[in-house]
Amino acid sequence: MHVLQNLLFNNHLSDISEKLYFDIQKGGIQPLSENDGIILEKNSRISFGTYFNYFSLNTWRKYCQLKDLHFQLQGKGEFVLRFWLTDKNYQPSSSKRVIEKQVYLNKDQDCFCIDCSFLLKKQGILHFTIDTKGECFIQGGSFCTKTDPFNYVKLGIVITHYNRKKYLIPAIRRIETQLLSNESFKNNIDLIIVDNSRDVSSEEAGEAIVISNLNYGGSGGFTRGLLYLKDHHYTHCLFMDDDASCEIESIIKTFRLLQYSVVERLAIAGTMLYEKESTIIHEKGAQYKPLSLIQLYCGLDISKFETIIATDLDKKKIEYGAWWHFAFKIEDVNYFPFPFFVKGDDMLFGLMNHFNIITMNGICVFGEDFRYKDGPLPRYLSVRANFALALIYSDCSLWIYVWRYIRWIFISILTYRYASARATSIALQHVMRGPEFWTRYLSLTDIYPVISNVLSAEKMDDVDIDQLKPSIRQVRFPILKKIIIIMTFNGFFLPDFFIRDRLILSKKEIKHFPYEIFLERNILYYSSEYNKGYVAIYNKKKFFSELFLGLKLIIQFAARFKKLKREYRQVVPKIMTEKFWRKVYQFKR
């Protein structure tokens, strides 16, 4: 039989919450090392209605072609196995019991198999519980099928790497040992490392194929990998980040979905969960808004059963998937990535190619919190990508651009982040240079001298918060005081003697609100998760300097808006092409 989904026990990524794997409702368990399974104590009840281990009948029925479904369980002991079906009308205790079996496995690695094919006519999600009578050992389990795959899939996993070997090398080892050495996938999946930093040795690479590459960022790196796959007759591609860890089962599920899919132009986007808060969703697919995006299901706790139901059965339209985990059929690519370097490349790639993008719970990566990453360089890259992308793709009015830009500038300067404001202005200057800017500066190397002065500011460093002893301010303000904050531009139009000389603590976020720091001179932007931060200082001269520069630039942009939009749209058919990128890398097919 063909395995569709394996049972997971949280043995490989030990920092991840066990609530994503199993729910101990009574008694207890003892996880074993590596993937040797778990021991369930006597009179325990364990539910596998969890993020990684439930089975999505809804997804497999809607997008794939299965004629039968079976469940296998390996282990030893006596227990009651119950399967539960839950639909979109879920209420606590409303799951319907559809199978109940007394199971007795009397030998190590004994296997129990049950036919669940009748459930393929049902909609909803399927999960099982185990009630033990004595101590039981569960070595593994899987949902599987006798149905042969509908599609031939030769999958290339493309990871673009730049100076993050501490993440990359462990990822290579996991993929080697758990996937590439598996006979079921050995001839159908390869790992390609596009080495933009040119520092991965052959010993470190192991079984991975390493392509030494010029550093044209994620856009150039992933494109270089895609070209390699085309030239070597792969059918499908999976883009993955080098700093995002994942369960290898996420890759296996992706592979199986591609094999059994009957949907045209199918693409699979992985969810991102926070590495420090592993049950919280950062993004499960996204939708595009002009100069912004909507991160679907952001902030939801996926360890809760009701969240699993909502994210599985309430399917929102997905317009693009981020490249921390994005799989697609190579022949479906009509537009190659735009040379953004990073930021925006995955958005425009998804939007222009009109993939039928789906997500599936259990297909995910664990990544660093983007709130921690925000700063002048990410702001520069993000703003220029957002403006260029909107000029290429969106028909929104000029006033949307004006409003977004002024808002970015004001929020930055009102919260003393003058370097971020300057980075925003530099980004707009570069966008106004037209499409030729992007083809001339494929790498950041040539423009570092322009932006280097702002990069050193707002840098997150180790902080001894006990030594600094910042004050924690209450931010409850009556309406009158809020009016004063607005009218005085957060105190910048007031004399300096109103400003208090003390250090205020503020959590590091992408979005900061000016009223939190009203009339304070020193702000410690701090991340408790990483114990890092920096101090921002009230500076009236920098405030007005960045304000006037921002206003000047947005007026210039407004005057050139129609011409810029026309120029960008005319050049896209020439830039987002295989021909353009082959010329960049100076090789032919």
Side-chain angles (χ1 to χ4, degrees):
M1 283 197 282
H2 305 283
V3 174
L4 301 175
Q5 176 178 315
N6 290 298
L7 201 59
L8 294 182
F9 299 121
N10 190 24
N11 302 121
H12 296 293
L13 299 170
S14 58
D15 292 336
I16 307 306
S17 171
E18 69 174 24
K19 294 179 181 179
L20 300 182
Y21 299 83
F22 40 74
D23 177 18
I24 306 172
Q25 298 180 347
K26 186 175 68 173
I29 69 165
Q30 178 186 342
L32 302 177
S33 62
E34 294 303 321
N35 204 28
D36 293 331
I38 55 175
I39 294 176
L40 281 61
E41 297 176 358
K42 181 180 179 181
N43 296 324
S44 293
R45 175 177 295 153
I46 310 298
S47 171
F48 289 89
T50 57
Y51 179 70
F52 280 119
N53 285 319
Y54 85 96
F55 188 81
S56 177
L57 287 170
N58 189 57
T59 300
W60 286 100
R61 287 182 73 257
K62 185 174 182 180
Y63 301 107
C64 299
Q65 195 173 62
L66 298 178
K67 298 177 181 178
D68 63 284
L69 178 67
H70 300 264
F71 178 73
Q72 296 180 335
L73 196 64
Q74 298 87 37
K76 182 179 180 180
E78 187 176 0
F79 52 89
V80 178
L81 177 67
R82 297 184 178 93
F83 280 86
W84 306 84
L85 182 67
T86 309
D87 62 21
K88 63 182 180 180
N89 299 315
Y90 167 76
Q91 295 294 330
S93 304
S94 67
S95 295
K96 180 181 179 181
R97 187 174 66 221
V98 290
I99 298 175
E100 180 172 331
K101 293 288 183 180
Q102 297 282 338
V103 181
Y104 181 65
L105 303 175
N106 59 8
K107 295 185 294 184
D108 288 340
Q109 301 183 27
D110 204 357
C111 182
F112 170 80
C113 184
I114 186 169
D115 191 345
C116 304
S117 301
F118 72 97
L119 293 171
L120 290 174
K121 298 178 181 179
K122 308 288 185 180
Q123 289 189 340
I125 74 169
L126 181 67
H127 76 278
F128 67 94
T129 58
I130 292 177
D131 286 79
T132 65
K133 296 185 176 181
E135 185 178 88
C136 293
F137 165 57
I138 303 297
Q139 186 189 34
S142 62
F143 290 94
C144 48
T145 182
K146 296 178 182 178
T147 307
D148 289 329
F150 188 73
N151 305 304
Y152 169 74
V153 175
K154 174 72 170 176
L155 178 67
I157 303 169
V158 177
I159 295 179
T160 297
H161 162 67
Y162 185 77
N163 286 343
R164 291 191 281 203
K165 290 171 72 172
K166 70 175 183 178
Y167 299 106
L168 176 70
I169 304 307
I172 292 175
R173 297 289 88 81
R174 286 198 307 273
I175 294 172
E176 275 183 342
T177 57
Q178 299 177 46
L179 188 65
L180 301 184
S181 61
N182 188 322
E183 291 297 328
S184 298
F185 308 105
K186 203 165 189 178
N187 297 318
N188 294 94
I189 300 179
D190 288 322
L191 174 62
I192 293 87
I193 307 298
V194 181
D195 186 11
N196 282 0
S197 53
R198 302 184 178 188
D199 61 353
V200 178
S201 67
S202 58
E203 292 78 15
E204 291 170 328
E207 295 182 34
I209 300 164
V210 177
I211 302 173
S212 182
N213 197 49
L214 298 171
N215 184 23
Y216 295 146
S219 308
F222 284 120
T223 303
R224 182 65 183 86
L226 179 57
L227 290 172
Y228 176 89
L229 298 186
K230 288 202 71 171
D231 291 346
H232 290 82
H233 310 295
Y234 289 78
T235 62
H236 293 75
C237 175
L238 169 59
F239 287 160
M240 293 184 65
D241 275 346
D242 61 349
D243 65 341
S245 61
C246 76
E247 284 281 5
I248 300 303
E249 182 66 18
S250 292
I251 301 174
I252 294 174
K253 282 185 181 179
T254 299
F255 180 78
R256 293 304 190 197
L257 280 172
L258 295 173
Q259 280 189 311
Y260 285 93
S261 168
V262 293
V263 176
E264 294 295 322
R265 305 190 67 80
L266 182 79
I268 301 166
T271 299
M272 179 178 160
L273 307 176
Y274 294 123
E275 64 179 2
K276 297 291 186 180
E277 299 177 274
S278 60
T279 67
I280 305 301
I281 296 173
H282 168 72
E283 180 180 302
K284 189 178 188 289
Q287 297 171 346
Y288 175 70
K289 286 179 61 179
L291 296 159
S292 66
L293 61 95
I294 300 173
Q295 296 169 306
L296 300 180
Y297 306 104
C298 181
L300 295 185
D301 186 346
I302 200 65
S303 68
K304 297 179 178 179
F305 192 63
E306 56 266 30
T307 304
I308 294 173
I309 302 289
T311 54
D312 186 285
L313 302 180
D314 178 26
K315 296 291 187 182
K316 293 182 171 64
K317 178 177 174 55
I318 300 172
E319 295 180 325
Y320 78 91
W323 286 352
W324 49 62
H325 186 114
F326 188 71
F328 54 91
K329 192 174 185 179
I330 294 172
E331 70 176 26
D332 290 338
V333 176
N334 298 321
Y335 290 91
F336 272 60
F338 189 87
F340 283 122
F341 191 80
V342 294
K343 303 281 188 182
D345 42 11
D346 49 5
M347 294 172 65
L348 190 58
F349 184 75
L351 292 168
M352 295 293 289
N353 282 297
H354 300 289
F355 295 114
N356 186 1
I357 303 173
I358 68 170
T359 61
M360 184 183 199
N361 284 338
I363 297 178
C364 71
V365 300
F366 299 92
E368 192 174 40
D369 194 330
F370 281 82
R371 293 171 294 184
Y372 171 75
K373 291 183 177 182
D374 187 42
L377 181 57
R379 182 64 57 87
Y380 164 77
L381 295 168
S382 177
V383 171
R384 70 175 196 166
N386 271 289
F387 264 76
L389 193 156
L391 289 167
I392 293 168
Y393 185 80
S394 174
D395 290 320
C396 68
S397 71
L398 170 63
W399 299 111
I400 298 294
Y401 294 83
V402 173
W403 162 247
R404 289 287 183 185
Y405 179 76
I406 290 177
R407 185 175 184 273
W408 288 332
I409 291 291
F410 266 99
I411 291 296
S412 295
I413 61 178
L414 291 175
T415 54
Y416 312 168
R417 295 177 295 148
Y418 313 109
S420 288
R422 177 57 61 93
T424 301
S425 295
I426 295 172
L428 183 57
Q429 288 175 314
H430 289 170
V431 170
M432 286 193 292
R433 291 171 66 173
E436 64 274 7
F437 168 82
W438 303 93
T439 57
R440 180 177 179 182
Y441 297 104
L442 293 171
S443 171
L444 288 184
T445 304
D446 295 331
I447 59 175
Y448 263 123
V450 179
I451 62 176
S452 59
N453 290 335
V454 301
L455 297 185
S456 59
E458 302 176 21
K459 184 179 179 181
M460 297 288 283
D461 289 317
D462 293 332
V463 170
D464 187 343
I465 199 164
D466 294 327
Q467 182 180 0
L468 292 175
K469 296 180 179 178
S471 301
I472 299 176
R473 182 175 182 179
Q474 300 297 323
V475 293
R476 297 175 183 173
F477 292 111
I479 295 177
L480 179 60
K481 186 168 283 189
K482 289 183 179 180
I483 294 173
I484 294 173
I485 290 172
I486 295 171
M487 293 180 64
T488 64
F489 282 71
N490 206 36
F492 278 97
F493 281 8
L494 294 175
D496 281 359
F497 62 77
F498 280 99
I499 310 302
R500 290 183 284 262
D501 285 314
R502 61 175 181 170
L503 182 64
I504 296 296
L505 179 67
S506 179
K507 184 178 180 181
K508 182 73 168 66
E509 301 275 3
I510 292 178
K511 297 179 181 179
H512 293 280
F513 299 98
Y515 61 81
E516 296 175 340
I517 61 174
F518 181 55
L519 300 182
E520 304 292 350
R521 190 174 299 278
N522 305 295
I523 311 300
L524 172 61
Y525 289 115
Y526 178 70
S527 170
S528 58
E529 292 87 353
Y530 298 93
N531 198 31
K532 292 179 180 290
Y534 68 91
V535 176
I537 302 173
Y538 173 94
N539 188 311
K540 188 173 290 188
K541 181 179 178 180
K542 289 184 177 180
F543 172 86
F544 284 107
S545 175
E546 299 304 329
L547 174 61
F548 291 141
L549 175 61
L551 293 175
K552 173 187 172 183
L553 290 174
I554 198 61
I555 291 171
Q556 293 176 354
F557 175 82
R560 298 184 55 194
F561 174 64
K562 290 184 179 180
K563 182 181 178 183
L564 277 171
K565 192 172 185 178
R566 185 169 59 252
E567 289 175 350
Y568 271 93
R569 297 198 175 193
Q570 287 174 345
V571 83
V572 163
K574 300 177 182 178
I575 292 180
M576 296 183 69
T577 63
E578 181 177 346
K579 181 180 178 181
F580 168 82
W581 282 105
R582 289 193 182 277
K583 184 176 180 181
V584 166
Y585 288 116
Q586 297 181 347
F587 69 90
K588 298 180 180 180
R589 187 167 183 173

